Amino acid sequence: MSYRLDAVVGDFDRLRSWAEGVPGAVVAPLRQRMGLLPLSTALCGDLPRILRELSQGGPVAHVTADFWGGDGDQTAVLWRAGAREWGPVRTSEYSGPREEWPINAALARLGVAPAGPGAPDHRDLFVEVGLGQGRNEEDWRRAALQANDAADYDDWHAREQATRESEERAAAERAVHERLPGVPVPLDGKEILTLLGIPQGRMVGAAIRHLQQLHIDHGPQSREEAETALRAWAAEHGLAPTTAERADTTSPRIHRPTSADHHRIQ
């Protein structure tokens, strides 16, 4: 799989303010208040001037990477106050410490903070800031357009956080109804339907998941224990039998005529 990057990275709000007056220029949001300006062919033709202008208000990094199937190279250079401050540094060898790789080193100079304790070893600054979210200029332009109506970085970040929280809640809700692999239960779905008198649907999966959690927390359950636990669980969740189940299932009463009926017939 290929990965190609040719962009300027810096403060999102500052880059976007500059891009508003430049035809074809867009800025995609990254994490830690960073933004990415993908360099089109037209912008690359005037890159030194662009870097001088962009770096007047704060540091920016010009970063490039070109990979195919894991092999490739990357280059980074840092500009500040209208002048080149560091680089360009290029490498196609990645045996040294990750923090010394060109793009990681440039991101550190921009103020990007490393991941917190417990993060995977591969989560270097490149991953931490979100440079792995796109694989080419088209991906970054799409990300920029999706954030185009955000007032500023804080507005975009708040909306992204709300979206993530909503997706996490939805995933947690789905998980409640999904069966855990390899955890046995003493009742199958059909038996649960009969026991609780509920219609076929997601709540049957939730009932099985509840029995599985009991198995994990307290060990294997007997059939009787499982039935008792499910009845209590159903009551807590306000589950009522279907209309058909609630209906009187005794034999229909035969209406026998009374003397009053005979008087009415006459």
Side-chain angles (χ1 to χ4, degrees):
M1 186 175 291
S2 65
Y3 178 92
R4 190 174 190 282
L5 176 68
D6 189 0
V8 177
V9 177
D11 178 80
F12 173 81
D13 291 332
R14 183 160 46 84
L15 290 185
R16 197 165 73 159
S17 177
W18 177 88
E20 287 175 353
V22 180
V26 295
V27 179
L30 299 172
R31 289 190 282 270
Q32 299 196 29
R33 308 195 72 83
M34 293 287 106
L36 180 147
L37 169 69
L39 293 173
S40 62
T41 302
L43 292 177
C44 284
D46 201 15
L47 186 57
R49 180 189 64 81
I50 291 173
L51 291 171
R52 282 196 298 270
E53 289 184 2
L54 286 174
S55 65
Q56 292 293 342
V60 295
H62 175 215
V63 296
T64 66
D66 199 349
F67 287 90
W68 179 267
D71 296 324
D73 56 71
Q74 58 176 248
T75 304
V77 56
L78 188 83
W79 284 65
R80 189 191 304 267
R84 188 174 63 195
E85 181 179 273
W86 172 86
V89 177
R90 178 183 179 277
T91 188
S92 57
E93 299 292 332
Y94 302 95
S95 57
R98 284 177 174 266
E99 59 268 20
E100 295 179 5
W101 296 358
I103 295 179
N104 283 338
L107 292 173
R109 286 167 169 80
L110 288 175
V112 176
D121 290 341
H122 70 267
R123 196 168 178 85
D124 56 14
L125 296 185
F126 184 99
V127 177
E128 181 65 23
V129 81
L131 286 177
Q133 297 176 101
R135 306 200 66 83
N136 51 45
E137 181 182 342
E138 182 179 346
D139 287 347
W140 292 116
R141 287 188 170 276
R142 187 181 303 113
L145 292 175
Q146 289 173 348
N148 192 49
D149 60 343
D152 53 22
Y153 186 88
D154 290 330
D155 182 30
W156 171 82
H157 184 265
R159 293 191 307 183
E160 284 294 299
Q161 186 172 1
T163 299
R164 285 195 300 272
E165 291 174 353
S166 176
E167 291 173 347
E168 289 170 359
R169 286 194 298 270
E173 183 178 344
R174 288 194 301 271
V176 170
H177 300 84
E178 294 175 356
R179 184 167 188 154
L180 296 170
V183 181
V185 292
L187 299 173
D188 61 23
K190 186 175 180 180
E191 291 169 327
I192 291 172
L193 285 172
T194 302
L195 174 70
L196 301 182
I198 58 176
Q200 183 71 271
R202 298 179 67 198
M203 292 310 295
V204 177
I208 292 175
R209 180 64 178 263
H210 177 65
L211 291 180
Q212 289 184 308
Q213 194 60 51
L214 289 176
H215 181 97
I216 294 171
D217 295 341
H218 306 292
Q221 308 281 302
S222 69
R223 184 183 183 87
E224 292 74 18
E225 289 172 331
E227 290 177 351
T228 299
L230 274 188
R231 289 192 182 98
W233 173 85
E236 290 174 1
H237 287 76
L239 297 180
T242 62
T243 302
E245 292 289 341
R246 289 197 302 268
D248 187 359
T249 57
T250 59
S251 299
R253 297 179 181 178
I254 299 175
H255 178 70
R256 300 184 183 280
T258 64
S259 57
D261 292 324
H262 286 293
H263 286 299
R264 284 194 292 270
I265 294 171
Q266 296 173 351

